[in-house]
Amino acid sequence: MEALAERLSQLDTQVEGALRVVMFYDTLMRRRVDLPALARASAGLAGCVAGIRLHGTGRVIRVADDGMPARGPVAPASSSAPITLDDEEIGTVWLERPGPPKSLDEVVLDRLAIAAATVVEKYGPARTTMADPALVELVISSDSDDAARARALRLLGFAADLPVRAVAVRSRLPLDQVGGLICPARPVKAAPLADVGVILATTVDLARFPAGVRAGVGTAESPDRSWAHARTALRFATPRRPVVHHDDLGALALLAEIPADSLRGNPDVAAITLLAGSPEDLETLDAYCATGSLRQAADLLHLHHSSVARRLEALGRTLGIELGDPAGLTRARLALTAWRLLDG
């Protein structure tokens, strides 16, 4: 291997050098090297410190060009590349070269990243967030028996003695990114189902959900019950309250059990349905129901409180509800929430 590295250093053209780099890593993979050996060979080839880091385990390998573990603090990377497995970034490789990168550094890192992903996949376990949807469905399905659910959880990497919480997610962001943010310490697994994303995690940090994500968080009961609660909580999510924990719904969760036809037939809900044709009116009612205060609603809407007062007076006449009365405000809140449940 050292002889091959020496020959590579004597190449005249970048194209031939790139081909030899590919050959170098092909040879390494045929020899079934592990990650430390991969880092040692890469450091010798590049002539500087090479590093490998796996996000899931936090494992870091740094090797100097003499084949010994690199000492001292990590120097700024002169160049780096992500390690990806099943379209998910599971780690990083880098070179710590004094001065600017050399012409073949990009090729070296590209092949090192591919080789590292192969090693992790073969000898892992691969600490990816995305999981087999069939296994996840076994965990959250109410039709699964306890033995099948426990076996699926074990295959997903969850310890038998840890509670698993389910999260129902609608997001344009990849599920693995959302899962990594809300449960950075792992274990966390995610999979898309027909109409919603599923995240299974031992802990969930509600404050770490990124903007633009709607989510319902289930309780820490059995995973199937947690999933049912997560789906219910997701139905209550709104732009103003995008993440809802089922425990925080309290008696409001009972609204989700009322048949849709019964909700539609309620006069207050029917009035909200008609009101929904005017986004301005709906936004005003939403702000007032969220705050319970005329002035706070005005602050949310960036309007003068007298303007909001006129709007609410007109809305009260349209709805047939005295919005200034506590009982009327409760009716409006319930009607607006029930209408949202119908709207999905």
Side-chain angles (χ1 to χ4, degrees):
M1 200 57 60
E2 288 79 10
L4 177 57
E6 185 177 349
R7 289 201 302 274
L8 286 173
S9 66
Q10 297 171 358
L11 293 172
D12 295 328
T13 68
Q14 185 173 351
V15 173
E16 188 176 1
L19 290 174
R20 293 299 182 93
V21 169
V22 173
M23 291 169 55
F24 180 83
Y25 282 99
D26 284 349
T27 301
L28 286 175
M29 296 318 298
R30 283 196 298 272
R31 295 183 179 184
R32 300 183 181 182
V33 296
D34 57 11
L35 290 178
L38 195 55
R40 281 196 301 272
S42 301
L45 174 62
C48 66
V49 172
I52 300 174
R53 184 184 191 280
L54 299 181
H55 298 330
T57 62
R59 183 184 183 188
V60 176
I61 302 169
R62 290 175 66 235
V63 181
D65 57 356
D66 61 1
M68 299 300 292
R71 305 296 181 185
V74 179
S78 55
S79 48
S80 63
I83 305 171
T84 58
L85 185 60
D86 297 332
D87 297 323
E88 179 183 344
E89 184 176 327
I90 64 167
T92 307
V93 294
W94 70 91
L95 297 177
E96 299 173 26
R97 184 184 300 286
K102 291 190 175 180
S103 59
L104 291 178
D105 282 1
E106 184 177 350
V107 181
V108 170
L109 286 171
D110 178 65
R111 303 309 297 184
L112 172 56
I114 292 172
T118 302
V119 170
V120 171
E121 185 176 31
K122 282 186 177 180
Y123 310 113
R127 300 298 184 118
T128 56
T129 298
M130 298 307 292
D132 182 348
L135 280 178
V136 172
E137 199 147 11
L138 267 177
V139 170
I140 62 176
S141 174
S142 59
D143 295 330
S144 298
D145 57 47
D146 290 342
R149 184 175 292 113
R151 184 164 54 251
L153 284 168
R154 186 169 61 252
L155 290 171
L156 288 170
F158 290 100
D161 58 339
L162 290 178
V164 175
R165 194 182 298 272
V167 183
V169 177
R170 284 199 174 96
S171 169
R172 293 182 179 179
L173 290 176
L175 280 176
D176 63 284
Q177 289 186 21
V178 179
L181 284 170
I182 66 174
C183 186
R186 305 289 178 109
V188 57
K189 293 292 180 180
L193 294 188
D195 60 339
V196 68
V198 187
I199 295 176
L200 299 175
T202 52
T203 59
V204 175
D205 188 340
L206 299 182
R208 292 178 62 90
F209 278 93
V213 172
R214 299 278 184 96
V217 182
T219 58
E221 297 181 35
S222 62
D224 56 323
R225 288 286 295 164
S226 184
W227 175 241
H229 290 165
R231 290 294 299 265
T232 297
L234 178 61
R235 295 179 63 192
F236 287 85
T238 68
R240 202 179 300 282
R241 189 188 181 191
V243 179
V244 178
H245 197 301
H246 187 271
D247 286 349
D248 295 333
L249 290 174
L252 278 178
L254 296 173
L255 283 177
E257 300 180 18
I258 300 174
D261 289 343
S262 296
L263 291 177
R264 288 191 188 94
N266 181 271
D268 288 352
V269 177
I272 296 289
T273 302
L274 294 175
L275 186 70
S278 170
E280 181 181 89
D281 288 342
L282 194 64
E283 186 180 17
T284 300
L285 182 63
D286 176 52
Y288 181 62
C289 286
T291 62
S293 162
L294 175 63
R295 290 188 178 275
Q296 289 181 40
D299 289 341
L300 281 179
L301 296 168
H302 304 292
L303 295 171
H304 193 274
H305 64 87
S306 60
S307 300
V308 176
R310 285 193 295 271
R311 284 191 189 182
L312 289 173
E313 185 178 352
L315 286 172
R317 289 195 298 269
T318 300
L319 296 172
I321 298 175
E322 178 53 60
L323 294 175
D325 181 72
L329 177 58
T330 299
R331 278 179 61 185
R333 282 172 170 163
L334 285 173
L336 186 60
T337 301
W339 172 77
R340 284 196 174 117
L341 291 177
L342 285 174
D343 193 50

